[in-house]
Amino acid sequence: MGPGAHPSWNVAQRLRLTPETIDSTLEEVHALLRERGRSACTWEVGNSATPSDLAEQLRARGLVDDRDPYAVGMVLTEPPPAQPEGIEAREARDFEEYRAAQRVAEEAFGGEVGMDDEQLRARYEEQVATGAWTTFVALVDGEIVGSASSTYVEGAVTLNGGAILPRARGRGAYRALVGARWADAVERGTPALVTQAGAMSKPILERLGFRAVAEITILLDEFGPALSN
């Protein structure tokens, strides 16, 4: 569950259900999200989810394919190719850089962050205080043109939200962000990157040495706010 209300921020995953618990699980997820003012989410159904026809079962209950409905779980355990020249990729150094990173993601993904400066600052301060994740930026001639983040889990680093401004694509910024996060993972003693790749990022990640380990179906669940009495 992320800070914004967009469905991609709020995800149900790691699903091990039975035919008898699908409806109750839907109700539980909806109730949890409604308590936090959310009215939509996505369900990520991996090929190890149960029951084996869970995606079809959810579609029968009104869920629909997301805009980019198929993804691949990928892993990198060897160093990626060398960093491209002319691109600086590193951790965001302060709130201003963090905010710029969020705006890059907003433009690159064609959506809205859904947070004002006060909410963004609270999120940044939470990141600094907990150390559970880190925001990275890619710069060309001193301008932030790319952003991404790493979330830290046992034994690996999870890559999230790699975004490059359209006018800066094709120059190696995405590759540089992967390289910076690999170096961070090595420094932390967990030299393994895991991520979820869509149609746009999968070919790039394959060229960087990532291998596919899972297939994922992404479904959009728009359940609306709670009905008032």
Side-chain angles (χ1 to χ4, degrees), residues 191-214:
L193 303 180
V194 297
T195 193
Q196 183 170 302
M200 183 178 295
S201 57
K202 180 176 179 289
I204 303 172
L205 293 172
E206 286 177 332
R207 291 196 295 271
L208 296 180
F210 283 77
R211 64 183 188 276
V213 293

Side-chain angles (χ1 to χ4, degrees), residues 89-107:
R90 55 168 173 75
E91 295 182 17
R93 292 172 175 166
D94 52 32
F95 172 69
E96 296 303 321
E97 290 194 347
Y98 174 82
R99 179 171 57 183
Q102 304 310 309
R103 301 309 178 199
V104 165
E106 181 180 60
E107 181 175 342

Side-chain angles (χ1 to χ4, degrees), residues 7-218:
S8 63
W9 282 105
N10 303 281
V11 183
Q13 55 185 200
R14 303 181 187 180
L15 301 162
R16 303 294 185 269
L17 311 181
T18 66
E20 295 75 24
T21 61
I22 293 173
D23 290 325
S24 61
T25 302
L26 278 164
E27 292 172 0
E28 180 183 2
V29 169
H30 295 172
L32 287 168
L33 289 167
R34 281 171 172 151
E35 286 178 3
R36 293 160 176 79
R38 317 295 166 82
S39 60
C41 68
T42 49
W43 293 67
E44 296 182 352
V45 184
N47 54 341
S48 58
T50 60
S52 59
D53 64 343
L54 180 57
E56 288 306 315
Q57 294 265 14
L58 291 172
R59 288 188 182 103
R61 289 162 169 80
L63 278 67
V64 298
D65 286 355
D66 197 25
R67 183 176 60 179
D68 190 4
Y70 300 107
V72 178
M74 306 190 80
V75 175
L76 179 70
T77 54
E78 299 292 336
Q83 294 274 48
E85 296 183 2
I87 308 287
E88 179 186 7
R90 55 168 173 75
E91 295 182 17
R93 292 172 175 166
D94 52 32
F95 172 69
E96 296 303 321
E97 290 194 347
Y98 174 82
R99 179 171 57 183
Q102 304 310 309
R103 301 309 178 199
V104 165
E106 181 180 60
E107 181 175 342
F109 291 131
E112 295 183 0
V113 172
M115 293 180 285
D116 58 25
D117 276 4
E118 182 178 350
Q119 292 169 316
L120 282 172
R121 186 174 290 279
R123 183 72 171 169
Y124 173 71
E125 291 174 354
E126 180 185 359
Q127 172 183 290
V128 173
T130 65
W133 75 96
T134 300
T135 299
F136 289 78
V137 292
L139 301 92
V140 175
D141 297 329
E143 178 191 4
I144 293 176
V145 298
S147 67
S149 65
S150 286
T151 303
Y152 304 114
V153 297
E154 184 178 354
V157 172
T158 301
L159 306 189
N160 308 108
I164 309 298
L165 292 177
R167 57 183 170 78
R169 290 172 184 166
R171 301 175 62 179
Y174 189 96
R175 177 157 52 101
L177 286 167
V178 170
R181 288 177 290 174
W182 170 264
D184 180 47
V186 170
E187 185 176 343
R188 291 172 178 273
T190 54
L193 303 180
V194 297
T195 193
Q196 183 170 302
M200 183 178 295
S201 57
K202 180 176 179 289
I204 303 172
L205 293 172
E206 286 177 332
R207 291 196 295 271
L208 296 180
F210 283 77
R211 64 183 188 276
V213 293
E215 297 177 354
I216 303 160
T217 299
I218 305 173

